[in-house]
């Protein structure tokens, strides 16, 4: 109450004083601009200035209040920006699909700050930059994506691995993919890309270790899975062949090959791979395992090509091996390859006549160069040069049936 009284008294004093001053001298103010002049008293001009300042102060307050987040005007302005950004994002994605990388990147980066989910813009723009071979800008955009949405690390890393694969940075891509595989071991697309990365890097051991999971998850169909295993196994054998030349232990190599073969159970159903495995056993010096493997395979499923490998083994018990081969003849007597193998095993046992008969029977069924060569050498060693030369000429005639017959000089014309 006392404070109100003091305010009223102060206002009366100030007002009275101003009234006296205004009565004594009204003052004079002249404003001129071009042909326009304005004349007034100083008191009226002062009142106008005070009113103007009061109005400007309220206008300022109203503008600040309306532009604050949550106000109607701010919402209206923000919605306009978001709508424009959303349209540019859609346009950018369409340009990306259409292959216009530069325009796509520009639209997507420009609108990223005004859309609810900038992650999509940054990742798509990173793809666009990658397609323009601008690797640094692509990395920067992925970092922006992580900064805007750190919770989407898997999606960002997956996009990064795809970009790295596209750029041919397979080692970097593999590191990224292994990190993703650890987070989601059964992610189908990650597994497919791991196959690609391992294949490009020729890391066949790692690829073979991955095949059980690929089978379990059905990532590849049976045909593609078999092709992949065959390619990986053959490449692994080639790798081990180089290791053997560098002085690595044959026993360690054989152990690894056998472990891999047991894992890839689908390979045993393929004839060529059975032959490859048997030859690998021979190459690294395990004739006993090769003989056992071939015998089991032939008892289960016959193969003319595999029985030829059986005849190339240096059997510890050649007599037993010949008995086994001859037992197969009861079911496969029309196999020229089996007869050739029986001939070779007979020759190992120095059964020259038996070997000659088997070779001849094989040639009668199918004149293969190997059988003709083996029989020719045997006949020559036995001193039957005439028969050896006749066999040689017969094989030449058999191979040259399509050659035009031309007259040859006779022995009679030579003697005259």
């Amino acid at each position: 109450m006392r404070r109100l009284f003091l305010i009223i008294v102060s206002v009366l004093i100030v007002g009275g004083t101003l009234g006296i001053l205004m009565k004594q001298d009204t003052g004079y103010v002249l404003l001129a601009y071009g042909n326009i002049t304005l004349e007034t008293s100083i008191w009226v001009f002062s009142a106008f200035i005070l009113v103007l300042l009061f109005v400007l102060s309220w206008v300022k307050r109203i503008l600040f209040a309306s532009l604050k987040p949550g106000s109607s005007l701010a919402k209206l302005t923000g919605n306009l920006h978001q709508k424009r950004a959303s349209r540019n994002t859609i346009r950018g994605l369409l340009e990306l699909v259409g292959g216009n990388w530069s325009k796509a990147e520009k639209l997507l980066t420009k609108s990223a700050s005004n859309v609810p989910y900038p992650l999509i813009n940054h990742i798509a723009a990173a793809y666009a930059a990658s397609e323009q071979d601008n690797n640094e800008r692509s990395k920067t955009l992925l970092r922006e994506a992580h900064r805007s949405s750190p919770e989407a690390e898997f999606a960002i890393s997956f996009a990064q691995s795809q970009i790295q694969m596209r750029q041919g940075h397979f080692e970097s891509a593999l590191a990224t993919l292994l990190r993703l595989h650890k987070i989601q071991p059964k992610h189908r697309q990650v597994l497919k890309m791991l196959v690609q990365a391992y294949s490009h890097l020729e890391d066949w051991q790692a690829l073979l270790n991955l095949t059980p999971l690929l089978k379990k998850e059905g990532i590849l169909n049976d045909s593609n899975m078999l092709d992949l295993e065959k390619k990986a196994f053959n490449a692994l054998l080639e790798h081990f062949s180089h290791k053997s030349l560098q002085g690595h232990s044959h026993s360690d190599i054989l152990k690894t090959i056998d472990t891999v073969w047991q894992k890839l159970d689908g390979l045993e159903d393929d004839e060529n791979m059975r032959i490859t495995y048997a030859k690998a056993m021979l190459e690294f010096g395990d004739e006993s395992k090769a003989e056992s493997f071939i015998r089991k395979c032939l008892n289960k499923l016959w193969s003319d090509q595999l029985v030829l490998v059986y005849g190339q083994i240096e059997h510890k018990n050649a007599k037993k091996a010949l008995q086994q081969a001859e037992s197969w003849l009861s079911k496969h007597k029309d196999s020229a390859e089996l007869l050739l193998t029986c001939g070779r095993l007979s020759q190992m046992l120095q059964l020259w006549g038996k070997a000659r008969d088997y070779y001849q029977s094989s040639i009668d069924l199918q004149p293969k160069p190997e059988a003709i060569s083996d029989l020719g050498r045997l006949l020559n060693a036995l001193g039957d040069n005439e028969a050896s030369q006749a066999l040689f000429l017969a094989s030449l005639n058999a191979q040259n049936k399509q050659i035009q017959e031309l007259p040859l000089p006779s022995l009679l014309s030579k003697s005259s």
Side-chain angles (χ1 to χ4, degrees), residues 198-217:
Y198 281 137
S199 298
H200 280 290
L201 294 171
E202 298 184 352
D203 191 345
W204 306 114
Q205 184 65 62
L207 185 56
L208 289 169
N209 292 337
L210 190 66
T211 51
L213 183 58
L214 296 176
K215 286 181 181 180
K216 183 180 178 182
E217 298 302 319

Side-chain angles (χ1 to χ4, degrees), residues 67-100:
L67 291 176
K68 281 182 180 179
S71 68
S72 299
L73 183 59
K75 287 179 180 178
L76 177 62
T77 308
N79 286 338
L80 289 174
H81 285 308
Q82 285 186 5
K83 287 179 180 179
R84 188 180 299 113
S86 296
R87 285 197 299 269
N88 285 337
T89 297
I90 294 171
R91 285 177 58 203
L93 292 173
L94 290 173
E95 294 292 348
L96 181 69
V97 174
N100 194 346

Side-chain angles (χ1 to χ4, degrees), residues 8-20:
I8 293 171
V9 171
S10 299
V11 169
L12 289 173
I13 293 173
V14 171
T17 304
L18 287 173
I20 294 170

Side-chain angles (χ1 to χ4, degrees), residues 215-235:
K215 286 181 181 180
K216 183 180 178 182
E217 298 302 319
I219 302 300
L220 302 174
N221 60 38
D222 291 343
S223 177
N224 289 337
M225 194 72 233
L226 180 60
D227 287 342
L228 176 64
E229 289 181 346
K230 286 163 65 174
K231 184 177 180 181
F233 189 74
N234 285 321

Side-chain angles (χ1 to χ4, degrees), residues 256-273:
T256 305
I257 291 173
D258 189 54
T259 302
V260 171
W261 179 263
Q262 297 303 324
K263 284 183 180 179
L264 308 179
D265 50 0
L267 292 183
E268 197 165 332
D269 296 330
D270 185 89
E271 181 182 14
N272 289 330
M273 293 311 297

